[in-house]
Amino acid sequence: YRVGGDEFVVIMKDLSDMDCTEYERKFAQVLGNSTLDIKPSAAIGSTVYDKKRDAGYEDVFKRADNNMYNNKQHMKNNI
């Protein structure tokens, strides 16, 4: 769902960190294979709920948001 501006959240059940990494890789590959004149891009941040670490969904969202901003910075540094 749309959280605001150009930020969206996808909530999936029963995924591991490796699953998230694979979804991120596939999504980036789809964007990279675009035939548009201007290549689309997306900063992605994912994480998995950890009952030992997370008191609630806010903790998960904060960690995913932080991962997204790290990914965005990485993308800017590699342009």
Side-chain angles (χ1 to χ4, degrees), residues 7 45-47 60-70:
E7 292 188 10
S46 65
T47 195
V60 180
F61 279 24
K62 284 178 188 175
R63 203 165 51 255
D65 198 47
N66 187 51
N67 291 341
M68 186 269 305
Y69 280 107
N70 288 338

Side-chain angles (χ1 to χ4, degrees), residues 20-77:
C20 290
T21 300
E22 183 63 14
Y23 276 111
E24 288 180 24
R25 188 193 65 74
K26 287 179 181 179
F27 188 72
Q29 183 179 24
V30 168
L31 292 178
N33 289 338
S34 173
T35 58
L36 299 173
D37 290 336
I38 299 173
K39 294 287 184 187
S41 65
I44 303 168
S46 65
T47 195
V48 174
Y49 170 76
D50 180 347
K51 63 183 174 184
K52 294 178 184 174
R53 182 177 183 180
D54 301 314
Y57 72 91
E58 295 95 347
D59 293 335
V60 180
F61 279 24
K62 284 178 188 175
R63 203 165 51 255
D65 198 47
N66 187 51
N67 291 341
M68 186 269 305
Y69 280 107
N70 288 338
N71 180 241
K72 184 182 281 191
Q73 188 63 48
H74 176 77
M75 290 169 59
K76 285 181 181 180
N77 291 339

